[in-house]
Amino acid sequence: MTSVGDGPYVSVFCVGTPEAPHDKWRIATFYPDVFGDGVIWMPHQRSYYEPGVARTIHIAGSVSQRLDGNAWIPVGDRSYNYDSPTFRMRWNVGCRECGMRKVIAAPKTFYPAFTALAQAGIREIELLHLIHSSPRTEPQ
């Protein structure tokens, strides 16, 4: 895999709302990776990439959540069968400053949007835009 900073990525940050702004809170950076026959977007663990900044910015936590059906899989559980048909991943993209949040139960529905942003050269988006966006499940 190419270093995320050298390749395409989309970072999500929050500055609050026009009514209640706050300093920039860096949430997550997502990068494309090849999986099977397609491209998937993965959150970069604990590092935030920001356009114009040469080094990564350390962030706390992760937006990835692994579940077996509706049961949480403990972080670091290496004994779980990730090929299980009940395994699923979700993203919990939230701001610790203001509490604004978007839970994405099926991250693959956002892969086309992240790909389009990366192709357009957009490397950062506000959480508020992500919250008000709708995933596309069918190409148009």
Side-chain angles (χ1 to χ4, degrees):
M1 179 182 69
T2 306
S3 169
V4 175
D6 295 336
Y9 66 86
V10 175
S11 293
V12 179
F13 68 96
C14 184
V15 290
T17 64
E19 300 80 23
H22 59 72
D23 289 339
K24 185 175 188 177
W25 185 266
R26 292 160 182 90
I27 301 169
T29 293
F30 297 87
Y31 65 93
D33 202 357
V34 176
F35 183 76
D37 293 337
V39 173
I40 64 172
W41 283 81
M42 298 290 296
H44 197 282
Q45 300 299 322
R46 304 198 194 297
S47 293
Y48 187 91
Y49 288 80
E50 189 168 300
V53 177
R55 297 184 357 212
T56 62
I57 299 165
H58 181 75
I59 56 174
S62 173
V63 298
S64 294
Q65 298 176 327
R66 294 168 175 84
L67 297 105
D68 181 359
N70 289 325
W72 299 104
I73 299 170
V75 175
D77 183 351
R78 299 196 188 281
S79 65
Y80 181 77
N81 176 12
Y82 289 97
D83 291 327
S84 169
T86 57
F87 171 76
R88 66 186 181 96
M89 177 83 68
R90 77 177 196 173
W91 295 340
N92 187 354
V93 185
C95 177
R96 292 187 184 176
E97 185 72 23
C98 67
M100 197 175 345
R101 165 169 324 283
K102 179 162 184 105
V103 175
I104 301 171
K108 67 182 177 183
T109 62
F110 276 83
Y111 296 168
F114 280 23
T115 298
L117 288 167
Q119 288 173 342
I122 298 169
R123 293 193 156 197
E124 269 190 315
I125 61 168
E126 287 186 46
L127 176 59
L128 193 60
H129 295 299
L130 188 63
I131 287 171
H132 292 293
S133 66
S134 297
R136 292 187 187 260
T137 54
E138 297 291 324
Q140 294 188 1

